[in-house]
Amino acid sequence: MFPGFYEEIHEEFRQVVREFVTREVSPHYRQWDADHMIDRALWEKASENGLLGLAVPEEHGGMGLQDYRFRMIIDEELARADALGVALALHLHDDWVLPAVLQFGTEEQKAGWLPRFMDASFVTSVAFTEPGAGSDLRGVRTKAVKQEDDSWILSGQKTFIGNGISGDGALVLARTDGSDVKERGSASSFSLFLVQKEDNLGYRPGSQLEKMGLRASDTAELFFDEVHIPAENMIGAEGKGLEIAKSILPQGRLAVAAAATVVAGEALRQTISYVGERQAFDGPLTQFQNTRFQLADLQTRLEVTQRYIAAAVDAHNAGELDVVAASKAKLWAAEEAKSAVDTCLQLHGGYGYILEYPVAQAYLAVRLLTIFGGTSEILRETIAGDVLG
Ligand SMILES: Cc1cc2nc3c(=O)[nH]c(=O)nc-3n(C[C@H](O)[C@H](O)[C@H](O)COP(=O)(O)OP(=O)(O)OC[C@H]3O[C@@H](n4cnc5c(N)ncnc54)[C@H](O)[C@@H]3O)c2cc1C
């Protein structure tokens, strides 16, 4: 980000993150990418270094770092090390599941779950999407049926679930009003549950889905076959699932916007270095006006994006980022990153197409960002709804 965005305390935190990434991530990342799976030990090491559950309040043993700039530093350092798959895995745990528990969990739930978020004994997934329901979550068919003792029996199928194989549990959106699953549910048809894999034979990850990028982060289908969920695992009130999902959208979308900005910045930094070294027609690529003009445009657009995202981060830190503002931030930053990284790849020529080059990995990574967490089209609908009143 730009000078002045971070303060000294953030830079001190950056040193911890940078050393952690150099020591624990970089030496193994290629292997994890090939395995489509991060080594579980990384989560434990991240925990030892205080990098999980940054926002967990002190009374639950956390650091209470509500300032989103700390999360961004983790993304920046992982992008700098070309280890974006790790960034995605951490993002699901810290930017989607954790905020739901922090905002809507009871005191008992927080006391029980939050320490496990931080000590890496409960690595989590967000399980909203299904084969027949992505943008339109009212189409979710996974259902939970209430038992006499107020516990629930969960059955259904999810897809595209990050940390789906490696994780210990998931924040699951399920239909709880008994409505016909072949019909769209109503706004109050759904509830959220924190479901644990351990001791639940019916909680079964499917096989690995082969992604084009971000391969170190595992992505899979999840199957629930009569999974028993204790009553106390419901997050928020019955029928409030969609409302809660909407409430956590601002942080989730801000996180994607921030990551997009970070990846675009890193791709540009690497491209500036590349075009200064690569020789053609008796000089570096920077001798061409096209190269210079492209870099000028990329730098200018990046700075505009950085300022815009910085304002969104400030609003989030002040508790004032609403879903429309977060949608605008994600729409802008993700579309910008997609276009910027494409230009950076072009400036690398044929090497940009070779997967060993970070710009090729960045290209594959940013392609997800206009889809995941709300497609650009859905974001435009949200924004248009606000514009038109
Ligand atoms: C790598 C990866 C990781 C993911 N991780 C997770 C995860 O961890 N947890 C999870 O729950 N989900 C996850 N997802 C799912 C992701 O959030 C969905 O793919 C996304 O919400 C889009 O849903 P869909 O794929 O069903 O597309 P669809 O909803 O079928 O959309 C298809 C196309 O139609 C367009 N469209 C749909 N509705 C409208 C509309 N009203 N107006 C205009 N256009 C519209 C969309 O914009 C899109 O272009 C992941 C996806 C991927 C690819």
Side-chain angles (χ1 to χ4, degrees), residues 259-272 294-303 305-306 331-348 358-360 362-364 366-367 369-370:
T261 311
V262 162
V263 176
E266 183 58 27
L268 178 55
R269 192 180 71 80
Q270 291 171 353
T271 302
I272 292 168
Q294 296 278 15
L295 293 181
D297 284 356
L298 287 170
Q299 181 65 33
T300 306
R301 298 186 76 100
L302 177 68
E303 287 180 24
T305 305
Q306 287 175 333
L331 173 65
W332 179 263
E335 292 290 346
E336 275 295 302
K338 190 167 89 168
S339 143
V341 174
D342 185 48
T343 306
C344 289
L345 187 151
Q346 184 71 16
L347 288 169
H348 278 71
V359 74
Y363 181 81
L364 297 174
V366 291
R367 196 60 193 84
L369 305 184
T370 60

Side-chain angles (χ1 to χ4, degrees), residues 92 126 128-129 134-135 160-162 211 368 371-373 375 377-378:
L92 297 165
V126 189
F128 291 180
T129 307
S135 301
F160 301 141
I161 307 306
K211 302 195 296 296
L368 176 64
I371 298 170
F372 166 81
T375 65
E377 294 73 32
I378 291 297

Side-chain angles (χ1 to χ4, degrees), residues 52-366:
L52 296 184
L54 298 189
V56 172
E58 286 172 20
E59 68 256 35
H60 294 294
M63 290 189 289
L65 297 178
Q66 302 287 344
D67 180 346
Y68 197 75
R69 288 176 290 180
F70 289 103
R71 279 283 302 125
M72 281 184 75
I73 284 174
I74 297 181
D75 277 351
E76 281 184 355
E77 293 304 313
L78 288 167
R80 196 171 157 271
D82 306 318
L84 294 169
V86 174
L88 175 61
L90 295 179
H91 160 75
L92 297 165
H93 184 72
D94 254 34
D95 290 322
W96 291 93
V97 186
L98 179 61
V101 179
L102 287 177
Q103 285 177 49
F104 298 97
T106 61
E107 279 312 307
E108 291 73 35
Q109 286 173 328
K110 288 182 191 171
W113 294 107
L114 294 179
R116 301 190 60 203
F117 268 81
M118 289 180 299
D119 70 10
S121 64
F122 192 61
V123 170
T124 56
S125 304
V126 189
F128 291 180
T129 307
E130 299 191 356
S135 301
D136 181 11
L137 289 176
R138 284 202 194 180
V140 158
R141 291 181 174 209
T142 294
K143 63 176 182 183
V145 178
K146 202 178 208 167
Q147 308 300 294
E148 274 180 13
D149 62 355
D150 285 346
S151 67
W152 297 82
I153 297 292
L154 178 77
S155 300
Q157 179 184 355
K158 299 286 176 181
T159 194
F160 301 141
I161 307 306
N163 304 337
I165 297 173
S166 60
D168 304 297
L171 182 68
V172 179
L173 184 70
R175 205 181 275 236
T176 46
D177 67 348
S179 55
D180 180 354
V181 294
K182 294 194 192 98
E183 313 255 319
R184 280 184 91 224
S186 73
S188 59
S189 294
F190 305 90
S191 305
L192 280 172
F193 299 92
L194 208 44
V195 187
Q196 201 162 263
K197 185 157 65 182
E198 195 181 10
D199 300 331
N200 259 323
L201 288 179
Y203 184 132
R204 197 167 50 79
S207 49
Q208 181 75 252
L209 298 173
E210 286 248 349
K211 302 195 296 296
M212 54 194 270
L214 294 163
R215 292 158 73 104
S217 143
D218 59 288
T219 305
E221 290 183 308
L222 277 186
F223 298 94
F224 304 114
D225 183 12
E226 302 207 337
V227 171
H228 177 256
I229 316 175
E232 60 268 23
N233 286 35
M234 180 179 278
I235 300 294
E238 187 177 335
K240 296 286 182 192
L242 285 182
E243 212 175 290
I244 296 171
K246 198 172 168 193
S247 301
I248 59 172
L249 281 180
Q251 175 159 346
R253 289 187 175 164
L254 174 69
V256 178
T261 311
V262 162
V263 176
E266 183 58 27
L268 178 55
R269 192 180 71 80
Q270 291 171 353
T271 302
I272 292 168
S273 159
Y274 183 83
V275 296
E277 283 168 21
R278 175 76 177 167
Q279 302 285 311
F281 296 95
D282 292 329
L285 299 181
T286 46
Q287 70 181 304
F288 307 122
Q289 187 190 57
N290 176 64
T291 306
R292 294 200 307 277
F293 281 14
Q294 296 278 15
L295 293 181
D297 284 356
L298 287 170
Q299 181 65 33
T300 306
R301 298 186 76 100
L302 177 68
E303 287 180 24
V304 170
T305 305
Q306 287 175 333
R307 297 279 165 183
Y308 186 43
I309 299 311
V313 169
D314 285 347
H316 177 69
N317 288 346
E320 291 164 1
L321 187 76
D322 63 20
V323 71
V324 174
S327 301
K328 290 176 185 166
K330 179 182 181 293
L331 173 65
W332 179 263
E335 292 290 346
E336 275 295 302
K338 190 167 89 168
S339 143
V341 174
D342 185 48
T343 306
C344 289
L345 187 151
Q346 184 71 16
L347 288 169
H348 278 71
Y351 293 98
Y353 200 69
I354 303 302
L355 286 176
E356 190 179 306
Y357 277 70
V359 74
Q361 296 292 340
Y363 181 81
L364 297 174
V366 291

